[in-house]
Amino acid sequence: MKKLFFPIMFLLAAGSMQAQTYNELVEKAMDYTLKDSLVQAEQLFRQALKMEPGNARNALLFSNLGTVQKRMGKTDEAIESYTMALNITPYSTAMLLNRASLYLDKGLTDKAYLDYCNVIDLLPENQEARMFRAYIYMQRRQYTEARIDYNAVLAKDVRNLTARLGLVMLDQKEGKLTQALSSMNRLVDDYPKDVSLLKMRANLEVEMNQPQAALLDLEEALKLDANDREAYVQMGDLYLQLRKKKDAREAYEKAVSLGVSRGEIEERLKECR
């Protein structure tokens, strides 16, 4: 019995040492991740995964590896790591969301859509998945479906800015310009110092053939941010539309002084002569 006892104890001790080494690698990898030493972190995560390929914690390791690779710009490798993690834990919404965002980065919209649908099946009120799926529906011109997702977000967060803007864009795409403008007015009232909203309302007003209202919005935007070159280009376009060539040229030249490429607006400058 003694002869058997020692080999068994040796094997148990060896297993314990191996498990400890796995844990040490994981701890060091996490430490390197926190220190932004991503190359070292990636190497250590890979070593730990090779050491114990059947470890139940490997789903989390693959996920962490994917996050490190994402931060390193290794999109394909990150997708592969998240996929390996999901092979172990297919119902992880965090991993599905991470992989979906990478699919979107690569223009793999259909794959991203499936991941977002899976998240919503698991967590119907998940706002991130709803928002991005609505965006995909918009790209597909599935406006009814996009509206459902945006409204689902607003049902939980009535002031959600992105969802409200999404509905404005839907109204605009569907030709409901009066309704779109009404919604934009409420947004500007709620966020009066948001320059981007003023510029968006100006664009909508131009589409509705209300150039004077658009100019007022752009003037207000420039009061808030005098260096907004995009607003000066918009203003130049409006002045040109109103045949105020001198004012248009001044606006364009101001935009150029703020960094807009002269070549980008050269044709419009010619129209100001």
Side-chain angles (χ1 to χ4, degrees), residues 75-273:
T75 304
D76 290 333
E77 290 91 334
I79 288 173
E80 183 180 350
S81 295
Y82 285 131
T83 300
M84 293 297 292
L86 286 162
N87 287 340
I88 301 170
T89 54
Y91 302 116
S92 170
T93 54
M95 294 175 195
L96 285 166
L97 288 170
N98 283 333
R99 187 173 69 174
S101 70
L102 292 176
Y103 280 144
L104 276 185
D105 288 345
K106 286 185 64 68
L108 300 172
T109 309
D110 291 343
K111 289 186 175 182
Y113 170 78
L114 290 175
D115 277 351
Y116 288 128
C117 286
N118 285 331
V119 171
I120 293 167
D121 286 342
L122 294 164
L123 295 174
E125 295 181 357
N126 185 279
Q127 291 195 3
E128 181 180 346
R130 288 278 184 183
M131 298 283 276
F132 279 107
R133 191 172 73 169
Y135 166 79
I136 293 170
Y137 280 138
M138 290 269 279
Q139 302 304 304
R140 295 178 173 180
R141 299 186 180 182
Q142 294 177 252
Y143 299 144
T144 300
E145 291 83 353
R147 194 177 291 276
I148 289 170
D149 276 343
Y150 283 134
N151 281 325
V153 172
L154 291 171
K156 299 299 296 182
D157 179 11
V158 70
R159 289 179 63 85
N160 187 287
L161 179 58
T162 306
R164 292 171 71 184
L165 282 172
L167 290 177
V168 170
M169 291 174 64
L170 281 170
D171 287 336
Q172 201 169 353
K173 288 178 180 295
E174 293 178 335
K176 302 173 183 175
L177 299 184
T178 301
Q179 185 171 316
L181 182 59
S182 178
S183 298
M184 277 302 306
N185 289 340
R186 288 192 292 273
L187 279 167
V188 172
D189 287 343
D190 289 343
Y191 304 95
K193 295 188 183 299
D194 191 318
V195 171
S196 64
L197 291 178
L198 288 165
K199 292 191 293 184
M200 288 179 67
R201 186 167 70 175
N203 281 330
L204 182 56
E205 287 161 341
V206 169
E207 189 175 350
M208 297 178 72
N209 197 28
Q210 298 178 15
Q212 296 298 338
L215 277 173
L216 289 174
D217 273 340
L218 292 173
E219 288 168 2
E220 187 61 32
L222 289 169
K223 287 179 186 176
L224 296 168
D225 183 2
N227 295 318
D228 191 315
R229 56 193 183 187
E230 184 183 84
Y232 279 109
V233 172
Q234 286 180 261
M235 186 171 281
D237 291 344
L238 273 169
Y239 280 134
L240 202 56
Q241 180 182 329
L242 295 170
R243 300 182 184 280
K244 296 182 177 182
K245 295 185 177 183
K246 181 183 177 182
D247 292 331
R249 172 170 285 278
E250 288 177 0
Y252 288 139
E253 291 292 351
K254 181 64 176 179
V256 169
S257 73
L258 292 171
V260 171
S261 166
R262 182 173 293 275
E264 184 182 332
I265 56 173
E266 186 63 36
E267 292 303 316
R268 280 175 275 190
L269 281 167
K270 288 178 182 177
E271 293 182 47
C272 296
R273 294 172 183 169

Side-chain angles (χ1 to χ4, degrees), residues 20-67:
Q20 186 179 6
T21 305
Y22 173 94
N23 291 336
E24 287 175 355
L25 285 171
V26 173
E27 288 174 9
K28 287 180 181 178
M30 293 302 297
D31 187 49
Y32 277 127
T33 302
L34 291 173
K35 292 177 179 176
D36 226 23
S37 300
L38 302 181
V39 173
Q40 294 91 330
E42 182 186 24
Q43 291 172 348
L44 290 172
F45 278 130
R46 288 190 182 279
Q47 287 179 33
L49 289 164
K50 286 180 181 178
M51 180 174 290
E52 295 191 22
N55 194 301
R57 293 174 58 192
N58 283 350
L60 182 58
L61 259 65
F62 274 119
S63 179
N64 289 337
L65 176 60
T67 300

